[in-house]
Amino acid sequence: MTTGNTITMRRATRAWGAAALCSLALAGCSGQDGEGARSAAGPKPAASAADRAPSVREKPRPVAEPAAFKGMRVNVSNGQTVGVGMPISLTFDRPVPVAERAAVERRLKVAARPAVTGSWSWVKDRNLHDGQRVDYRPGEPWKPGTKVTFRAGTGTGRTFQVGRSLVATVDVRSHTMTVVEDGVTRRVKVTAGAAGMDTWNGTMVVLDKQSRVLMDSRTVGYGKAYKDYYNYAVHLTTSGTYLHENPNANATAGERNVTHGCIGLATDGTARRFYEDVIPGDIVRVVGSKETVAAGNGYGGWNVDWKQWRAGSALN
C-alpha cells in the first residue's frame, strides 16, 4: 500500500506542476498588450513626425503699401536711355510726413549693373511742399552703359539704361562751353546771363528739350523784357534756365554775357547741333558765376556733397 500511495502522490505532484507551468505561460501571453509588457520593454517610443498631425501655419499678413504710392510720379520711363547725371526722382500728390518717410524708403528698391553705391534723399522741390519729392542718385555719375531697375512696392517699376557720357561745362568768364562726349572734346562760344541776371552756378541736369519754346519774361520776374519763341531749347532748371538758340549770340557769343540768365548759342547751326546731341540726364556745369543752383531747382542734387546727400535719407 505504501508503494502505491507513493506513486499516486508523485503523479499528483507532476499534474500540479504542469498546471502551474501552463498557468504561468498563459499569464505571460495575455500580458503582451498590457502595462506589464510595456514596463518590461521600456518606455514607448515617441511618435514620429509623420505620425503627428501637421501643424497649421498662419500665412504672413501682406504689408500695406504706403499711402504715398497712390498718385506717385516717376521721372524716367520704362526702356528710356538717359544721361550719366539722371537721378530717379519721385513726386507725390501730397507731402509725406517725416514719421512715414522711412517706411516709404524701405519699399523703394534700386538695382544697377554694374553695381553702384547710391542713396535716396528727400529734396525740397522748388514748386512743391517739403516731403513731396525724394530722389536717388549714386555717389558719382552713372557709368555709361549701366542698366538700372527700380521698384516702388509691388505696383510700380521701371527699367532704363544710361547711354554715352556727355558733360558740358560753361565758363561764364571766358564765354565758352566745353563739351566732352565719350572722351571727345569740342569748344563752343556762348553768351550767358548779364550782371544782375547771372546764370546759375553749379551742376544742372537736362530735364527735357523742345525744338521751339515760348519764353515770357513775366513768368520769371523780369517784367515785359521779352516774349518770343526760341528754337532748340534745352531745359535745365524749373526756374526757367534754358540753353537755347539766341539771335543775340551771333554777335556776343565768346565776347560778353547779355542774356537774362539763359545760355545762348548762335543761329549758325551751333545751337541745333548741341540740341541734337543732348538727351535728358546729360550734365551741364556752370563755373565762374555766383549763386549755386538749389538741389530742388530741377535736378540740382549733384551740388550736394555725398555725406550731406545721404543725411537727407530717412534711413540714416
Side-chain angles (χ1 to χ4, degrees):
M1 294 298 292
T2 301
T3 302
N5 286 337
T6 300
I7 295 171
T8 301
M9 289 176 66
R10 288 175 179 170
R11 290 176 177 170
T13 298
R14 292 194 192 100
W16 179 86
L21 289 172
C22 183
S23 175
L24 287 172
L26 290 172
C29 291
S30 65
Q32 287 181 358
D33 292 330
E35 283 298 321
R38 285 199 295 271
S39 297
K44 185 178 180 180
S48 66
D51 294 331
R52 292 194 299 267
S55 59
V56 178
R57 288 187 179 180
E58 292 185 4
K59 292 183 179 180
R61 296 181 180 179
V63 180
E65 295 279 296
F69 287 177
K70 296 180 180 179
M72 177 184 67
R73 296 175 297 283
V74 186
N75 67 322
V76 291
S77 58
N78 208 37
Q80 185 178 3
T81 297
V82 302
V84 296
M86 181 66 85
I88 302 172
S89 184
L90 312 180
T91 54
F92 307 102
D93 284 346
R94 56 186 62 83
V96 178
V98 173
E100 298 176 14
R101 294 179 189 178
V104 169
E105 284 189 57
R106 288 190 186 99
R107 304 301 298 275
L108 304 177
K109 306 297 181 184
V110 178
R113 298 197 311 273
V116 299
T117 298
S119 175
W120 293 95
S121 192
W122 293 83
V123 174
K124 172 60 179 72
D125 189 280
R126 181 182 177 90
N127 296 330
L128 299 173
H129 297 290
D130 180 52
Q132 278 192 266
R133 175 177 160 188
V134 64
D135 287 7
Y136 177 95
R137 71 166 177 85
E140 300 291 338
W142 306 97
K143 292 182 179 179
T146 300
K147 294 183 179 179
V148 185
T149 299
F150 155 73
R151 294 202 66 82
T154 58
T156 302
R158 299 284 189 278
T159 297
F160 61 94
Q161 181 165 327
V162 180
R164 81 289 173 272
S165 173
L166 188 150
V167 178
T169 301
V170 175
D171 188 333
V172 301
R173 296 161 300 193
S174 62
H175 322 293
T176 60
M177 178 172 68
T178 302
V179 183
V180 180
E181 183 174 356
D182 276 345
V184 179
T185 301
R186 70 178 188 273
R187 286 179 175 80
V188 179
K189 295 179 180 181
V190 302
T191 180
M197 298 178 287
D198 305 87
T199 302
W200 289 112
N201 206 56
T203 300
M204 293 168 271
V205 174
V206 175
L207 300 170
D208 54 62
K209 63 180 185 177
Q210 293 176 266
S211 60
R212 186 173 171 83
V213 173
L214 175 64
M215 298 186 182
D216 187 341
S217 56
R218 291 172 296 180
T219 64
V220 291
Y222 287 136
K224 297 181 179 180
Y226 60 86
K227 184 180 180 181
D228 204 351
Y229 284 94
Y230 290 87
N231 298 328
Y232 308 120
V234 178
H235 194 188
L236 300 178
T237 70
T238 50
S239 63
T241 306
Y242 282 82
L243 197 159
H244 62 86
E245 185 179 79
N246 186 336
N248 291 327
N250 293 341
T252 61
E255 300 294 332
R256 61 186 185 276
N257 297 322
V258 300
T259 78
H260 291 81
C262 288
I263 301 164
L265 301 178
T267 63
D268 59 359
T270 303
R272 180 173 181 173
R273 180 182 177 185
F274 184 77
Y275 174 87
E276 291 175 345
D277 283 350
V278 300
I279 60 175
D282 283 341
I283 291 175
V284 176
R285 292 194 180 106
V286 175
V287 298
S289 193
K290 295 182 178 180
E291 293 185 56
T292 299
V293 63
N297 187 5
Y299 301 140
W302 293 106
N303 298 295
V304 179
D305 68 56
W306 183 235
K307 183 177 180 180
Q308 184 181 351
W309 181 262
R310 291 188 65 193
S313 167
L315 299 179
N316 292 324

